[in-house]
Structures are given as structure tokens and as C-alpha cells.
Amino acid sequence: MIRNVRNVTSDHSLASQLAQLDGVAQADLVRKREITPRELVQAAIDRIEAGDGAINAVVHRRFEQALADAMTPAPDRPLAGVPFLLKDNGPAQAGVPQTRGNAALKRISYAPDADAPLGRRFRDIGLITMGVTNMPEYGLQGDTQPLAFGATHNPWCLDRSVDGSSGGAAAAVAAGFVPMAAAGDGGGSIRGPAAACGVFGLKPSRGRMPKPVGSITDIWSTPLVISRTVRDTAAVLDAVNGALPGDLYALPRPDAPYLATLTPPKRALRVGLLTEGPAGLVVDPECVRAVEAAGALLQDAGHQVEAAYPSALLEAIPEWADRGWRDDQVIGVIDDLGKLLGHPVTEDDVEPFLWYRYQESRPVSAAEVHAGLGWHLARAARLLQWWEQGFDLLVTPVVHEPQRRLDDLAAESPAQLWEINFRSETFCMPFNASGQPAMAVPIRWTEDGMPVGVQIAAARGEERLLLQVATQLEEAVGWPTRTPPVTAPHSTAP
């Protein structure tokens, strides 16, 4: 906790001190009138301006508007005055740019004229939007270096990837610009970036969050935030969860606040470990060691840990089961872009990767989409059955390899990038299809200083259990105290 905030004479010192606090702590300072929202926002501005030149996480800035927003008193809101960043493809807030990593939307300075439901909830709980984070074009790549805005660099090593699609969000949180940032996960887009940047990311269960469905594949995606501490994610989830009337899926509201129950589980949990991938996918030893380390920590905490997993996760996906709905998704992206631009999309409006995927895609029949999604949902049913055998949690890698070098990824052809993206979804995508909650937890750092996280999944609706276990691991690992070298050359990390 910051003491005697008013005695701090250096703006830089104040910004650095506040960077050490999570959002819950910052909101507590506002409630106690030890600091004003405007001071929190100005400190975040100072941190972004000092550090983002190297990282390139924040692609749209609304600093003047944020300072003005901070002048409206709202001490009764749970996260009043806490600096926050949106993602470039939503949830939308009126007037805030949303260019989806696309150069053509950047040229016309596209911004929605109305709030999305979750965007409104973020504002209503007191979060102050500072700007918008970087992402790959339309979120279709597992690496954040869109041609429209340039690469986001990993705060732990500037030549490494931050994954995607919520890469800018994860980098901004890891660098201490803001304590939390909006993120969305349709195939690992919260979990992958969180793991790459050594921060925490939870994908909630399907039906836990407000989620208007525009197309059938929208059921894959669930929004929330990336944060440095577990309790920040719990606080946001408490404040914004709940489906809307008319949402395709809806879970009952939790019977107690998540933030109030961040205590060890009341019983020993049965935990399975998976360290291998389907045939043809080699899991890097660093990722294997992280899963094994997580298992050891959970065992030390009193849980029953064993090498066990759903066999469904090792099933190879038939080409036909992915081709149809993914082609339909790309065609939908191009149609959406054309409507926003007001003219048919040409090769000049998109990146080579998206144009390649569009040219490779073909009109898809309803039967093909139905068959492909049906295969994934049938596998999801087999996956869910594993939890009926008495298991509580499953620990897996988040991705099969550590962070790749940005230059190496940039040199790949569109066809090669597509294969890389496909492989990178191996462990995360099944839980998007099944609708289960899953989280990325930082567990260890490599000898060259790069974070390695693990994925932990639970049965549907069991966010509370995940958050409780994450709190145990957070205490054991201490990741919130580890600072990337890009913002703290003299890190106190062990």
C-alpha cells in the first residue's frame, strides 16, 4: 500500500508507486480519498508515455478524455477511477476507436456510435478508458504485429511475440501501464497472451458474460480482462458478469462474490496433468516443465495430482471439420469490413494473410458448417465427460512452444502462418468449444528470463474454483512481484 501519497513530490515516483498496485488497491485509495481518479489517470498516462515507445501496446490514446472522465465523482462504484484499456475489436464504447487491427478502418478513424453491453458495464463500474490496445488484424492470427500499427513487443524481451489476439492488452498489463485491460478469447486469445507476458488470464464459462451472438461461431468467444493479480479479475467478474435477456446462453448469477471467496478450496481437489499433444505436435520441454511444476505446487497445497486427461484432447481434427466454419468466418470478416467501409473489400484494404485466407476460402453450405461445428461439439461432449469421473481440474500447456521471435514470425508466408496459428490453438480451442472456464497462470521463468504459463480448466460454471486455486498458485509463485526488464531494469525478481 502506498503511504503518504500526498507527500510524493515526483510525478515519476508517483506513477512508479501506483504501477505496483493492482486495480482493487487503486480503487481502495480512491474510496479512502487518499488519491483522486485524476491522479490515477495522470500516473497511467505518464507510464504509457514513458514505456510504450518500446512496447507499442496502446494504438489509440484518449488521454484528454480520460482526464475529463476522471473528474466525475463515482466513489460508490467498485473500481472507481481505475485506469483501463479496451481491445481494438471490442467490447465497444461509443466514440472510442475500434479499428480491429485493420489499416482501412484506421484510415477512416472508425469508431462505434454506441456502447456494447459489456463496454457500458466497464464504464458503469468506474473503470476509466485510457485508450485501445493492439491486436492482429480481426484477431485472426496468434501473433500481435498488424501492418496497420506495427508489432507489440514483449516486455520481458523486446524481440519476442506477445501471442494474440489480446497481445496488446497482456503487454500493457505486464509493463504496468494499467492493472487490467479488456480481452476476449475465441481460441486462446486471453490465455495465450497472458501466458506469453507472465500475467493472469481467465476465460469464463459460456453464458457467464453478456454475449450477443451475431453468428454461430460467436459461441466460441468469451470476453473478460487480463490482469496482473487474481483478485483484479475476480473483482471485474463480480461487477460485470451476467447474461442479457435474449442471449443464446445464460448461467445463473453466482450465489456469492468471487472476490469474497478467494480462499483455499474446502477440500482436496483431484487434478489431472497433460504434457503431450496430438500425434505430430511436439510440446517443448519448457512447456512440459511448467505443467509439472504446477502439478508439484498443487500437490504441495494438498491436492491429489495424477497423470490423467481426457483422451479427446489428443484426437486429431479432421480437415473437413475445420475447413467449413473457418472459411465461413473469414468470409464473414470480409463482409463485415465491406459494410463498415461502404464498398467491396479489395486486396489493398487488408493484410496479405487475410487476403490469402479469403482467396482460399469458398462459399460454404449450411450443411458443411453444421457438420464441422457438430464434430467440435461432439468432441466437447467427450471432453466434458472426463469431469464426471471425479476430476476437478486439468492442467495443460497453454501453447506447445515458448514465445517465438517477432522477426521469424514476420518472415513466414501466409500459408505458414495459418499452420502456426492452427497448432497454437491445440490446447485452448477445445475449451472454447466446450464452454468450460479455463485460465492461464504464470508458473515459471526460463533461464533467459521468459515467463511460461500453464492452462488450468474446470467444469462448466466453476470459475470460483479456478480463482481459488489461482490464488493459491499466485501466493506460491509470486508473479505479481516480478517486473519485466523493459520497465524495471533492476528487477527484484528472484
Side-chain angles (χ1 to χ4, degrees):
M1 177 61 66
I2 292 181
R3 305 224 179 251
N4 299 320
V5 170
R6 300 295 180 190
N7 293 331
V8 175
T9 57
S10 166
D11 289 342
H12 176 75
S13 177
L14 176 60
S16 297
Q17 289 187 68
L18 290 172
Q20 300 169 27
L21 300 183
D22 66 2
V24 171
Q26 292 187 27
D28 190 51
L29 287 178
V30 171
R31 262 188 303 276
K32 293 177 178 178
R33 300 185 183 277
E34 294 183 28
I35 200 166
T36 67
R38 187 176 176 89
E39 287 171 311
L40 287 180
V41 168
Q42 185 59 60
I45 292 172
D46 293 342
R47 293 192 298 271
I48 294 169
E49 289 184 334
D52 201 40
I55 296 173
N56 191 37
V58 185
V59 294
H60 299 293
R61 301 181 180 188
R62 59 183 306 273
F63 292 166
E64 291 303 318
Q65 298 97 316
L67 288 167
D69 292 345
M71 296 302 292
T72 304
D76 57 326
R77 299 180 184 181
L79 292 167
V82 176
F84 188 64
L85 292 164
L86 294 179
K87 185 180 173 183
D88 201 18
N89 70 339
Q93 290 180 347
V96 178
Q98 189 181 88
T99 50
R100 304 171 194 184
N102 173 261
L105 292 180
K106 178 184 178 183
R107 285 194 296 270
I108 66 172
S109 301
Y110 174 73
D113 56 9
D115 290 348
L118 184 55
R120 185 181 313 115
R121 290 184 187 183
F122 283 147
R123 182 187 291 114
D124 288 346
I125 66 175
L127 296 170
I128 297 179
T129 300
M130 310 290 301
V132 178
T133 57
N134 204 9
M135 61 173 284
E137 186 178 45
Y138 270 88
L140 294 177
Q141 296 186 52
D143 174 48
T144 303
Q145 44 181 331
L147 297 181
F149 297 103
T152 294
H153 301 265
N154 197 308
W156 294 95
C157 182
L158 294 177
D159 70 353
R160 301 292 182 89
S161 171
V162 294
D163 206 277
S165 64
S166 306
V173 170
F177 298 162
V178 291
M180 62 187 81
D185 194 314
S189 290
I190 287 176
R191 291 159 286 168
C197 294
V199 289
F200 180 68
L202 169 69
K203 180 196 78 70
S205 300
R206 182 180 301 137
R208 181 67 69 199
M209 302 293 291
K211 187 67 172 64
V213 175
S215 67
I216 190 62
T217 53
D218 282 348
I219 67 171
W220 262 220
S221 179
T222 305
L224 192 59
V225 297
I226 289 173
S227 65
R228 193 168 71 251
T229 66
V230 175
R231 72 173 186 172
D232 268 4
T233 289
V236 175
L237 188 57
D238 277 333
V240 303
N241 83 83
L244 296 164
D247 279 0
L248 190 59
Y249 293 90
L251 289 177
R253 296 294 291 267
D255 55 6
Y258 296 111
L259 186 60
T261 55
L262 293 182
T263 55
K266 295 180 179 179
R267 60 181 174 82
L269 305 177
R270 190 178 180 194
V271 182
L273 300 186
L274 172 64
T275 57
E276 62 181 297
L281 184 76
V282 177
V283 180
D284 190 275
E286 292 287 6
C287 301
V288 172
R289 283 191 281 269
V291 172
E292 293 171 342
L297 289 170
L298 292 171
Q299 189 162 309
D300 289 345
H303 303 301
Q304 177 187 339
V305 179
E306 55 191 290
Y309 49 84
S311 60
L313 287 177
L314 299 185
E315 295 176 9
I317 303 174
E319 193 275 341
W320 61 264
D322 254 12
R323 181 77 187 199
W325 71 267
R326 288 185 186 270
D327 282 1
D328 188 61
Q329 182 185 44
V330 169
I331 292 169
V333 162
I334 295 296
D335 288 346
D336 170 77
L337 179 58
K339 291 174 184 175
L340 295 177
L341 296 177
H343 62 75
V345 174
T346 70
E347 186 174 1
D348 294 334
D349 295 319
V350 296
E351 295 184 16
F353 174 82
L354 179 51
W355 192 250
Y356 159 79
R357 285 290 299 120
Y358 180 57
Q359 295 298 308
E360 287 289 303
S361 300
R362 56 182 174 75
V364 182
S365 70
E368 288 176 294
V369 174
H370 182 271
L373 295 178
W375 185 91
H376 281 278
L377 293 175
R379 182 177 68 163
R382 295 191 292 275
L383 179 62
L384 286 162
Q385 289 168 4
W386 183 78
W387 269 262
E388 298 300 317
Q389 301 173 32
F391 287 94
D392 297 291
L393 301 175
L394 176 68
V395 184
T396 80
V398 178
V399 291
H400 67 288
E401 62 182 354
Q403 305 88 338
R404 295 189 61 173
R405 296 187 183 279
L406 288 167
D407 287 348
D408 292 343
L409 286 164
E412 300 282 13
S413 69
Q416 290 170 324
L417 285 174
W418 175 241
E419 290 301 318
I420 291 169
N421 296 344
F422 187 74
R423 291 196 301 271
S424 71
E425 297 176 348
T426 296
F427 296 104
C428 289
M429 176 62 87
F431 298 105
N432 293 86
S434 69
Q436 294 171 255
M439 62 184 181
V441 182
I443 289 295
R444 60 185 301 273
W445 272 252
T446 64
E447 289 186 1
D448 59 352
M450 297 304 296
V452 186
V454 301
Q455 174 178 239
I456 306 180
R460 280 181 182 167
E462 291 289 352
E463 285 86 354
R464 189 180 314 281
L465 188 61
L466 287 180
L467 290 166
Q468 289 174 338
V469 169
T471 301
Q472 289 185 299
L473 292 172
E474 183 181 53
E475 182 176 350
V477 176
W479 69 77
T481 65
R482 302 188 67 127
T483 310
V486 73
T487 53
H490 306 291
S491 173
T492 57

